Amino acid sequence: MEKIYHIDVEATLDVIGGKWKPIILCHLGNGPLRTGELHRRIPTITQKMLTQQLRELEEDEIIVRKAYNQVPPKVEYYLSDEGKTLRDLLVTMSVWGEKRVKRLQAKGQPVELISQGHEGYLKF
């Protein structure tokens, strides 16, 4: 069945939309990570949701899942070439979020930014 998008941003959001996918992608921008390490870096995501989001990103060819033939099993995820093309978009989103937090703080709102999420994307 043909997929129809009414505006072009829908095609982007279909792949990276939602709360977790951009966060996962920013962490993978720093290099390959195992599932457990991703979960430690994103402690508020459930294991079920992390697994689901990773599968969807892999299905959309944004990330690559590499399974090593060893005991105990080892699986790593890293950005595909297609995933790396999201660099500018995610950096722009990160910078916008950083500026928003600063504006909210200047207004006296209780908001904190623990770390900037775009450093990984600046490495490639």
Side-chain angles (χ1 to χ4, degrees), residues 69-123:
N69 188 16
Q70 67 182 52
V71 177
K74 177 182 175 182
V75 175
E76 286 184 333
Y77 293 91
Y78 60 91
L79 294 174
S80 66
D81 289 340
E82 179 84 4
K84 290 177 183 178
T85 67
L86 293 165
R87 176 190 186 270
D88 292 341
L89 174 65
L90 292 170
V91 168
T92 299
M93 289 172 63
S94 295
V95 170
W96 186 89
E98 184 181 331
K99 289 177 182 178
R100 176 161 173 79
V101 167
K102 287 178 182 176
R103 284 192 304 272
L104 294 173
Q105 289 172 334
K107 290 181 178 181
Q109 294 190 22
V111 61
E112 179 183 357
L113 181 61
I114 295 173
S115 69
Q116 298 170 345
H118 61 275
E119 298 89 7
Y121 274 93
L122 298 176
K123 294 181 181 177

Side-chain angles (χ1 to χ4, degrees), residues 7 12 14 18 21 31 41 44 55 57 72 99 108-110 113 116 119:
I7 60 173
T12 304
D14 189 39
K21 288 180 182 177
R41 292 181 185 202
T44 54
R55 284 184 182 148
L57 288 166
K99 289 177 182 178
Q109 294 190 22
L113 181 61
Q116 298 170 345
E119 298 89 7

Side-chain angles (χ1 to χ4, degrees), residues 54-66:
L54 289 169
R55 284 184 182 148
E56 289 176 12
L57 288 166
E58 181 184 13
E59 187 176 296
D60 287 328
E61 300 179 352
I62 302 300
I63 64 170
V64 176
R65 179 184 186 272
K66 182 176 181 181

Side-chain angles (χ1 to χ4, degrees), residues 30-59:
N30 290 308
L33 292 171
R34 297 176 72 173
T35 309
E37 182 58 29
L38 269 170
H39 196 251
R40 280 188 288 282
R41 292 181 185 202
I42 315 170
T44 54
I45 191 171
T46 65
Q47 186 63 47
K48 179 182 176 184
M49 181 58 71
L50 177 60
T51 300
Q52 177 185 331
Q53 300 294 282
L54 289 169
R55 284 184 182 148
E56 289 176 12
L57 288 166
E58 181 184 13
E59 187 176 296

